[in-house]
Amino acid sequence: MTAEEVPDDHPRHGSLVTRHRIEEGVEKGITSKQGLVAQGRGEALDYLLGEETVPAAERAERTAVARTLLADHAVVSVNGNVAALCPQEAVSLAEAVGADIEVNIFHRTRERLEAIAEHLREHGADEADVALRGLEADARIPDLSSERAKVDRDGIYSADVVVVPLEDGDRAEALDAMGKDEIVVDLNPLSRSAQTATVPVVDNVVRAFPRMTEYAETLASASDDELREIVDSFDADEALHDAERRIREGFGDGDTR
Ligand code: ATP
């Protein structure tokens, strides 16, 4: 069965489609086998969140977009899981907020980089007004030993805001040390990446990216002062705390589904 063949009325439709996309990603050489493990962890947490965007994540998504619209140079970092799960949504988001896309992967081979770039092109990166980066790898993130340290000088290296979905904690910390503002999309509010983020978005990337693109459209006419007000009034610790409480305690009295 492929992702497209999962019946619409299946009670676990969303989750099954996601699994199939990741499986297809592995088969196409886009996603690493390690990506399957990350997917499993994400699924478990999403289950506990009720597989919906919780209010704290909504606030974070709006703030993330405001911060990105204020950026001098924003980059959306795309790895093998994100490319498999939501390539078109990543392109749409980057276009809506005026960001570049940079392919950045842990298990780095030239073939995988090319396959991900090609997959993104097949999903609109060519037609969109978006620079596709990550193939130059002519700069390094300091103090990071993994292959993920390799970045484009005109991309992540020089960006002031980086959107990092499904990030590993080491790189999130290294980007933070470079003084970058990070928008982390991660279903685990306890991960080092989420804890390091300027704006932690505790949501499934397949829901977060389209919603962020919608916010980009509604905030497109906002002034810089209005955008700054949104960013300044956001409390990252509170957002993480709210998401963690939802995972641990489920839907309390004050919560609505
Ligand atoms: P850290 O080093 O920050 O503690 P980690 O070692 O858990 O993180 P990875 O193994 O790279 O990092 O895991 C990727 C993260 O992505 C996990 O926290 C997982 O919950 C999350 N994740 C997986 N799938 C999704 C998804 N579809 N949307 C959002 N987050 C996801």
Side-chain angles (χ1 to χ4, degrees):
M1 195 189 278
T2 65
E4 285 70 35
E5 287 163 2
V6 176
D8 285 343
D9 60 351
H10 193 290
R12 310 280 316 139
H13 178 267
S15 163
L16 283 183
V17 167
T18 309
R19 280 188 195 179
H20 281 294
R21 287 205 191 132
I22 288 283
E23 196 182 342
E24 284 157 22
V26 173
E27 280 160 9
K28 277 184 91 170
I30 290 171
T31 310
S32 72
K33 286 186 190 161
Q34 290 284 320
L36 296 169
V37 180
Q39 165 71 18
R41 174 149 25 159
E43 247 188 49
L45 289 160
D46 204 15
Y47 193 88
L48 294 171
L49 278 169
E51 292 171 351
E52 65 172 19
T53 303
V54 300
E58 252 176 68
R59 288 199 305 276
E61 283 158 10
R62 185 161 178 265
T63 307
V65 169
R67 178 64 193 95
T68 311
L69 290 172
L70 284 168
D72 291 329
H73 179 196
V75 176
V76 178
S77 182
V78 169
N79 67 9
N81 283 51
V82 175
L85 291 174
C86 50
Q88 199 185 323
E89 292 82 355
V91 171
S92 299
L93 174 63
E95 190 169 37
V97 296
D100 301 342
I101 287 190
E102 181 157 337
V103 183
N104 185 274
I105 53 181
F106 192 84
H107 301 279
R108 186 185 178 96
T109 64
R110 190 76 203 169
E111 291 71 34
R112 268 191 74 215
L113 282 173
E114 301 276 5
I116 292 174
E118 184 51 33
H119 190 67
L120 291 168
R121 284 191 206 101
E122 284 166 13
H123 288 85
D126 265 352
E127 298 82 58
D129 189 16
V130 171
L132 187 54
R133 304 191 188 277
L135 299 166
E136 300 286 330
D138 52 356
R140 283 193 76 91
I141 300 171
D143 302 320
L144 184 63
S145 53
S146 76
E147 286 287 281
R148 296 200 74 182
K150 292 183 181 167
V151 288
D152 278 19
R153 186 163 293 282
D154 294 338
I156 286 174
Y157 190 82
S158 55
D160 56 338
V161 174
V162 191
V163 180
V164 278
L166 285 63
E167 184 60 79
D168 68 88
D170 287 353
R171 195 172 81 121
E173 284 171 358
L175 288 171
D176 183 55
M178 286 177 87
K180 299 185 190 302
D181 275 6
E182 286 180 86
I183 317 289
V184 168
V185 182
D186 191 326
L187 281 158
N188 183 4
L190 299 173
S191 77
R192 281 179 301 151
S193 317
Q195 303 269 339
T196 306
T198 317
V199 184
V201 175
V202 182
D203 199 6
N204 196 316
V205 67
V206 303
R207 291 191 299 270
F209 274 11
R211 200 179 276 265
M212 286 166 71
T213 303
E214 277 175 31
Y215 279 127
E217 281 151 19
T218 54
L219 291 175
S221 54
S223 67
D224 280 7
D225 282 348
E226 285 166 320
L227 295 174
R228 240 173 251 121
E229 165 64 26
I230 294 172
V231 174
D232 291 345
S233 60
F234 178 76
D235 184 333
D237 289 335
E238 186 182 270
L240 288 171
H241 177 78
D242 285 358
E244 187 184 338
R245 189 171 53 84
R246 177 65 80 94
I247 288 169
R248 288 189 191 278
E249 297 172 13
F251 300 88
D253 287 347
D255 292 326
T256 49
R257 260 190 188 261

